[in-house]
Amino acid sequence: MQTAARIKDEVARAVEIMGPDGAEGRMAEAIRTVSVREGYAASDHVLLAFGGAGPQHACAVAERLGVSTVLIPADAGLHRALQERLARLVREARVK
């Protein structure tokens, strides 16, 4: 019975994360916060979606930000892999 309760709690948390104020809301708010801090309006720009799940959320995030154009590169998933590899190289260079 403990396992069933734990699964129910985990599913409830996952649903909450994906809800209207969940992951996409947090992504939009993070973009809005940085944009405003730097003196830009997100709605005046194109949203570039990359990474493993970025393109899946891009349209919903763009809508929240008032962005009318979303750019999804054909190799969007590779951008994340390249970023990780470059970060490792930088770390290795700093450690040596």
Side-chain angles (χ1 to χ4, degrees), residues 8-9 11 13 21-22 28 30 33 40 47 56 63-64 67-69 72-73 85:
K8 181 179 176 186
D9 288 344
V11 169
R13 269 187 254 122
D21 294 321
T33 298
Y40 299 102
L47 180 64
Q56 294 173 342
E63 185 175 13
R64 288 170 180 268
V67 172
S68 61
T69 305
I72 302 174
R85 181 63 186 135

Side-chain angles (χ1 to χ4, degrees), residues 3-84:
T3 303
R6 194 171 83 226
I7 291 171
K8 181 179 176 186
D9 288 344
E10 289 180 26
V11 169
R13 269 187 254 122
V15 169
E16 181 180 321
I17 288 169
M18 297 310 292
D21 294 321
E24 292 161 353
R26 286 192 289 265
M27 285 184 237
E29 191 55 37
I31 293 168
R32 186 178 291 110
T33 298
V34 172
S35 297
V36 169
R37 183 179 66 214
E38 298 296 322
Y40 299 102
S43 59
D44 293 338
H45 298 276
V46 171
L47 180 64
L48 173 63
F50 62 92
Q56 294 173 342
H57 300 284
C59 291
V61 172
E63 185 175 13
R64 288 170 180 268
L65 294 170
V67 172
S68 61
T69 305
V70 176
L71 176 61
I72 302 174
D75 58 353
L78 294 177
H79 288 228
R80 176 65 180 113
L82 178 60
Q83 176 188 6
E84 179 62 28

